[in-house]
Amino acid sequence: MDLTDFGAGAQYIAGRRTRGSGEPFQVVNPADGSVVEQVALAGTGDVDAAVAAAKAALPGWSSATPGARSEALTRLAAVLAGAADDLARVETAQTGKPVKLATEFDVPGTVDNAAFFAGAARNLEGKAAGEYSGDHTSYVRREAIGVVGSISPWNYPLQMAAWKILPAIAAGNTIVLKPAELTPLTSLMFAAACTEAGIPDGVVNVVTGAGRTAGEHLVGHPGVAMVSFTGSTAVGRRVAEIATAGVKRTHLELGGKAPFVVFDDADLDAAVHGAVAASLINGGQDCTAATRAYVQRPLYDAFVAGVAELYAAIRIGDPLNPYTDLGPLVSYAHRDRVAGFVERARSYATVVTGGRVPTTGHDGHDLTRGAYYPPTLVTGAAQDSEVVQGEIFGPVLVVLPFDGDDEGLRLANDTPYGLAASAWTSNVHRSLRATRELAAGCVWVNDHIPIISEMPHGGYKASGYGKDMSQYSLDEYTQVKHVMFDTTAVARKDWHRTVFGDR
């Protein structure tokens, strides 16, 4: 099977590609504005067909043994690994991310996720069977929820497809995934890889459509039992509103504004390099990216100077060039949105470096045709300003000073978000306090960004709830059933007297 055969259509329903019934849409390469693919978007009828396919596949897949599902996912990991070059190339074309990031992070991370959930599929945990009442044996079953409707974002299309699909199907559910229409291609490749791996038709379906049409219809569909969404907090609220009206389980991974807290005993060189990497990964289009650096005053000036120096050396250019560090943002509209934050900040803060749309790349690449934006460092902003509080989702880092530890941690927690954070210190007591008090679902110490399949990813506060990756994610996609057996064979139970008769 050719995973890159998009000509057959941008919907993947019941094991085959089909054309959508909606409007035509161009998937654009943000590096130069060229059209990668022209697709027909999904209409509500396409969503209905995908849900019907998932519902038809559910009895067989949910009743398959954990071992059978594990073997299928093991084959999937091998298929994905074999298609690594194509996946990286297509991911770069539709998102503009540097090919070295797609090759060394997105694709191997996805393969590893598949391998992890192949093992996790065999481990549906429950409380040990026992006679907890004395007269009954109880045990717990973890069962599939049903058809899962998932919506994934445009920043990591391949990895987010994996994060949605893998735990859902490992637990015995079937799924309909709606990727962002800007970047649907590797999600379609992932679904085709599932078929090639022998996962039954209808277990994994993909509908490429607009949020207000295909997305809202999927979330509210009566055949969908659970909804999983990754995206902005504003859209997450709308998803929750629709889903809860149908009493569906929801899983929301929403926005972030990750603090990067540098104490005065930190390794300055490590913190500077860590801040540059953590703020620029994927062009800053990462909900866990470092966006707010709080630096204790003795290190503040040196930290700002160090970051500015490294930012100036970042190689912006053609994302297919293996030496390019920073490619374009995902679209011209998003580039303009990021630039708008910086332009408005000029009235109340200092733009130390960056902040101007570049024209020529490190490799001579013409950047004027793409959605490029440079690494941008901002200082002097107030804590309550837009550039500190708002989710910019671009290569912009704001640096603020603090004095005592209490102030640094208070400022770090002072946004509506709570997805990720990091603390930089050589003092074990400071690090323990920071990991305890930082209100975020993931806290790194002396690093920022690394993720692993075995550990959960998810937020606090307005960053949502529920976990991706890890055994915790698998549990999210199961429902718990308590089963109780009488062990006495006595017809007249002692507790009956509370309802009728006497002792």
Side-chain angles (χ1 to χ4, degrees):
M1 178 184 294
D2 181 5
L3 301 187
T4 62
D5 179 19
F6 304 113
Q11 318 305 320
Y12 199 88
I13 300 172
R16 65 188 184 93
R17 287 188 170 100
T18 63
R19 296 186 184 280
S21 60
E23 296 295 316
F25 184 84
Q26 292 181 336
V27 177
V28 174
N29 184 335
D32 57 13
S34 62
V35 176
V36 182
E37 291 289 339
Q38 180 156 311
V39 303
L41 296 179
T44 57
D46 301 304
V47 175
D48 291 341
V51 173
K55 191 171 182 179
L58 182 63
W61 184 249
S62 63
S63 62
T65 65
R69 293 198 292 266
S70 174
E71 289 171 4
L73 290 176
T74 298
R75 294 192 299 268
L76 174 60
V79 172
L80 293 169
D85 290 344
D86 283 341
L87 287 165
R89 175 179 55 80
V90 175
E91 192 78 334
T92 293
Q94 68 178 351
T95 64
K97 69 178 62 192
V99 71
K100 68 176 179 179
L101 180 67
T103 301
E104 299 180 32
F105 180 72
D106 296 68
V107 174
T110 299
V111 173
D112 187 69
N113 284 166
F116 170 80
F117 281 108
R122 292 178 177 263
N123 186 35
L124 295 174
E125 292 186 338
K127 199 168 187 177
E131 289 69 52
Y132 296 98
S133 77
D135 293 335
H136 305 83
T137 296
S138 289
Y139 68 86
V140 169
R141 292 176 55 90
R142 281 196 177 271
E143 298 180 346
I145 295 171
V147 176
V148 178
S150 289
I151 300 176
S152 57
W154 48 255
N155 57 338
Y156 291 103
L158 177 62
Q159 287 207 82
M160 294 299 100
W163 286 17
K164 298 301 184 192
I165 292 169
L166 291 169
I169 68 173
N173 303 284
T174 57
I175 188 168
V176 178
L177 174 75
K178 193 205 85 65
E181 62 269 32
L182 289 176
T183 56
L185 302 180
T186 48
S187 299
L188 292 163
M189 293 173 70
F190 190 100
C194 289
T195 298
E196 187 168 327
I199 294 172
D201 295 349
V203 172
V204 176
N205 308 274
V206 174
V207 290
T208 301
R212 291 199 175 274
T213 303
E216 292 200 0
H217 190 62
L218 177 62
V219 171
H221 200 289
V224 169
M226 175 181 173
V227 171
S228 178
F229 170 80
T230 296
S232 72
T233 297
V235 177
R237 290 191 182 99
R238 175 62 178 158
V239 168
E241 177 186 356
I242 298 170
T244 53
V247 199
K248 305 176 192 295
R249 183 182 297 193
T250 56
H251 173 286
L252 303 175
E253 197 263 270
L254 307 177
K257 189 71 177 173
F260 186 103
V261 184
V262 182
F263 294 98
D264 59 10
D265 60 350
D267 180 326
L268 178 63
D269 191 47
V272 166
H273 281 79
V276 171
S279 60
L280 299 185
I281 186 170
N282 204 41
Q285 300 165 124
D286 185 313
C287 48
T288 62
T291 59
R292 299 176 292 138
Y294 295 97
V295 184
Q296 204 153 17
R297 208 168 293 274
L299 297 185
Y300 177 80
D301 290 339
F303 179 89
V304 169
V307 171
E309 181 180 359
L310 288 183
Y311 269 11
I314 292 297
R315 296 168 297 188
I316 308 173
D318 180 0
L320 287 175
N321 185 328
Y323 296 102
T324 291
D325 300 321
L326 188 67
L329 300 186
V330 73
S331 69
Y332 305 104
H334 185 62
R335 188 269 310 277
D336 293 345
R337 177 184 176 276
V338 170
F341 273 92
V342 176
E343 290 308 305
R344 291 188 296 274
R346 292 184 190 277
S347 66
Y348 57 79
T350 300
V351 179
V352 176
T353 187
R356 301 294 183 193
V357 175
T359 58
T360 305
H362 73 99
D363 48 4
H365 189 68
D366 180 7
L367 304 185
T368 61
R369 294 184 299 150
Y372 290 90
Y373 199 75
T376 299
L377 182 63
V378 177
T379 62
Q383 175 67 15
D384 62 355
S385 63
E386 179 193 47
V387 77
V388 174
Q389 294 291 323
E391 188 176 26
I392 301 172
F393 224 60
V396 179
L397 178 66
V398 184
V399 186
L400 299 90
F402 71 92
D403 292 305
D405 291 16
D406 290 350
E407 181 190 17
L409 294 173
R410 177 181 60 78
L411 292 172
N413 285 332
D414 183 29
T415 72
Y417 302 105
L419 187 58
S422 64
W424 297 74
T425 176
S426 59
N427 184 300
V428 65
H429 302 292
R430 264 181 166 164
S431 66
L432 287 171
R433 180 186 178 188
T435 57
R436 184 173 65 248
E437 294 187 13
L438 286 169
C442 177
V443 179
W444 294 279
V445 177
N446 295 331
D447 209 342
H448 191 117
I449 283 297
I451 54 175
I452 50 175
S453 296
E454 292 82 358
M455 287 292 135
H457 175 86
Y460 286 17
K461 303 190 295 185
S463 292
Y465 48 82
K467 301 299 177 185
D468 291 312
M469 300 194 297
S470 80
Q471 182 69 38
Y472 295 96
S473 177
L474 187 70
D475 293 347
E476 297 267 356
Y477 290 91
T478 64
Q479 51 193 352
V480 173
K481 178 184 288 183
H482 170 217
V483 179
M484 196 176 212
F485 289 87
D486 170 61
T487 60
T488 66
V490 173
R492 182 74 187 273
K493 310 290 195 240
D494 187 53
W495 71 266
H496 291 178
R497 76 180 189 278
T498 63
V499 180
F500 73 98
D502 302 314
R503 187 187 292 273

